[in-house]
Amino acid sequence: MPKYQIPKSPGEFQIIESYAGTPLIWNHKKGKGKVSIPCRDWDHAEEILEKLKEFKKGGELWV
């Protein structure tokens, strides 16, 4: 189970399709504030997106 560090002001998250065809959660940032979480399928991505909406001040997310 990987752990992802969520920054204090991550911005808006979105589910996109990666080059491999799998869903990817991304916040459209580059560098230090970038969050990119690969997912198994679209249902898994939607579950993680709901968890990320609860994060207001950053923290750690176990996927």
Side-chain angles (χ1 to χ4, degrees), residues 4 14 17-21 23-24 28 33-35 38 41-42 45-46 58:
Y4 292 94
Q14 182 181 6
E17 188 173 350
S18 68
Y19 289 120
L24 181 73
H28 293 284
K34 178 181 176 183
V35 177
D41 54 16
W42 289 97
E46 290 173 0

Side-chain angles (χ1 to χ4, degrees), residues 1-21:
M1 222 156 132
K3 176 175 67 170
Y4 292 94
Q5 187 69 27
I6 308 301
K8 290 185 180 181
S9 57
E12 192 69 28
F13 290 100
Q14 182 181 6
I15 301 174
I16 61 171
E17 188 173 350
S18 68
Y19 289 120

